[in-house]
Amino acid sequence: MSIEKVIYTARAKAMGGRVGTAKSDDGQIDLKLDRPVEMSGKGNGTNPEQLFAVGYAACFIGALRVVAGKRHIRIPEDVAIDSAVSFGPLKGEAEGFGIAVAMTIHLPGIERAIAEELVHHAHQVCPYSNATRGNLDVLLTVA
């Protein structure tokens, strides 16, 4: 998929890899990076999986608002997503590592069947979903 028109470009610099720093060009992000304890790190900073979990969840809420708006459904202000990004070696003969995503979507006050429909449609329009589709496992659950 290619973008028809660029609306916004985020710019950031990561230095040092998993043990280093990350900064956005506007100064809004200025983070210390470290491997989690489970990956032989000290856990004294954030890691790429945490950043991906936050970014995907926030973007997905935006996609929910778009698809709900087209149906004249108001997404509640207390909408929330519990996002988990798992890291591990790829299965089988493949070399390298991969990630998997599991998100639990909380849409208080919205009927379950409608919430599930909205989540399904949001998954079709969310840029993170489009970028990852077919490349990693994504499990979406309506709470």
Side-chain angles (χ1 to χ4, degrees):
M1 285 184 199
S2 59
I3 296 174
E4 181 178 327
K5 176 184 172 189
V6 173
I7 297 171
Y8 168 73
T9 300
R11 290 180 174 36
K13 180 182 268 187
M15 298 182 341
R18 286 186 173 272
V19 180
T21 60
K23 296 179 182 181
S24 61
D25 66 340
D26 64 1
Q28 293 298 311
I29 296 173
D30 188 352
L31 301 170
K32 180 178 179 183
L33 302 173
D34 196 5
R35 287 186 302 269
V37 174
E38 297 86 348
M39 292 171 65
S40 302
K42 295 178 183 170
N44 291 329
T46 192
N47 60 68
E49 292 71 33
Q50 289 172 320
L51 296 169
F52 190 77
V54 169
Y56 198 164
C59 189
F60 201 89
I61 289 171
L64 280 168
R65 291 188 190 285
V66 167
V67 299
K70 288 181 180 180
R71 292 184 56 191
H72 305 289
I73 298 170
R74 188 181 162 283
I75 294 294
E77 290 303 313
D78 57 347
V79 59
I81 295 180
D82 296 321
S83 181
V85 173
S86 300
F87 172 97
L90 294 170
K91 288 182 181 178
E93 307 261 335
E95 270 190 62
F97 298 89
I99 59 174
V101 175
M103 293 195 292
T104 302
I105 298 96
H106 303 270
L107 288 163
I110 295 183
E111 219 177 284
R112 183 172 194 80
I114 292 171
E116 287 175 349
E117 255 183 68
L118 293 173
V119 165
H120 172 75
H121 285 100
H123 190 45
Q124 303 310 306
V125 302
C126 175
Y128 279 65
S129 294
N130 287 332
T132 61
R133 187 170 289 109
N135 296 312
L136 58 94
D137 293 331
V138 176
L139 175 64
L140 303 173
T141 305
V142 174

